[in-house]
Every structure is written in structure tokens, then in C-alpha cells.
Amino acid sequence: TFDSGYHNHCWDFASKVLYGALTQYFGTQGDNSENAIECGVYLYTRQNRSVSWTEAGSAYVKQTETLTMHEGKSYYLNRDKLHMVPNQRTVDLNYAGTVTLVLHGPHVKAQGTAFWPLSTELPELEDGELKTLEVMDVKKILCHLLNLPGSIEQLTRFVEDNYYKH
């Protein structure tokens, strides 16, 4: 079952699972072979804080790999790699939430591509503003996750002590 579409990005990124676990499916675009699913193709463009969608025909996508990363694990994903993040409750009935930190590089291509199975209802793909967190919000969340009382100085010391090699 699909809970989100396969997609790629306009940039490479690295991510770390800070809490819980994250399962992803990876796929390839190809022909109508066994286990391939016909999907609508949508090109998306992000500029600053807005996103726009354009329909671009159909294609077949086949799942090639499933990968589950647990708390503390990091990974890198190339901008052209097709992946899908399913509703984690369909993967793990005991799912209690996932928090990841994602750091992406510069935009290196103008558009990303999303594939949505034709056999499922397409969610509303609205052009609009992306929701983002301000830097102070991220720092507050990190302080909470690390059980720090909220001091940015303590967070800075924690990161330097635990993640930078001296």
C-alpha cells in the first residue's frame, strides 16, 4: 500500500533519526514489469518558501529496497534517488513517533519529480507556502529532545562536546 508517493529532491541531503525509527521504500522508474505500479508523474518546483506542481504524464515505478533506520542512525540521500516514506503506523503497529533532523545541500536542479499510484486517490497538491520552523524553534526543540533546560549556550556546548572532533 502507498501512503505517500515516490519522489526525489532538487538537492542532496543527510538526515539523522533523533527519536524513534523511520522506514523508507526505495524504487526505480521503469517498464510495466512484475510488481511495477503505474503512477501519475508530477513535477514540483520549490522557490524560497513556495512550491508549485505540474502534471507530467504517467510512468511505472517498482519498489527495489526497504530500509529501516533506528534512533541514532544517519543516512545520506542523493537528489535523484526515488524514495517514499510510508505512514509509519502501517510499518510498525507499536509506532510511537519519529523525529528526524534533515540538512539539505544547495538546489542543484530546477525540479523534483513525484510519482503517485493511479490506483489511489491523489491528495490535493496545492501550490502554496511551505511550512518551516524558525531557527529559534529548532533550537528549542533540540533542547527539549536533549533534556536541556532551554539554554542555547548549553545546546551549543552539547553539540560541540558530542559531535565535533577536537
Side-chain angles (χ1 to χ4, degrees), residues 7-8 14 39 63-64 97 129 140 145 147 149 156:
H7 61 278
N8 59 29
C39 296
Q63 183 177 327
T64 57
E129 189 172 317
K140 288 176 186 174
L145 288 170
N147 295 317
T156 301

Side-chain angles (χ1 to χ4, degrees), residues 8 18 54 57 65 75 81 84 91 100 107-108 117 122 134 141 148 161:
N8 59 29
L18 300 175
T54 306
E65 180 183 5
Y75 66 97
K81 183 86 170 172
M84 177 180 75
V91 176
T100 60
H107 281 74
V108 291
L122 182 68
E134 298 300 322
I141 291 167
L148 298 174
D161 291 347

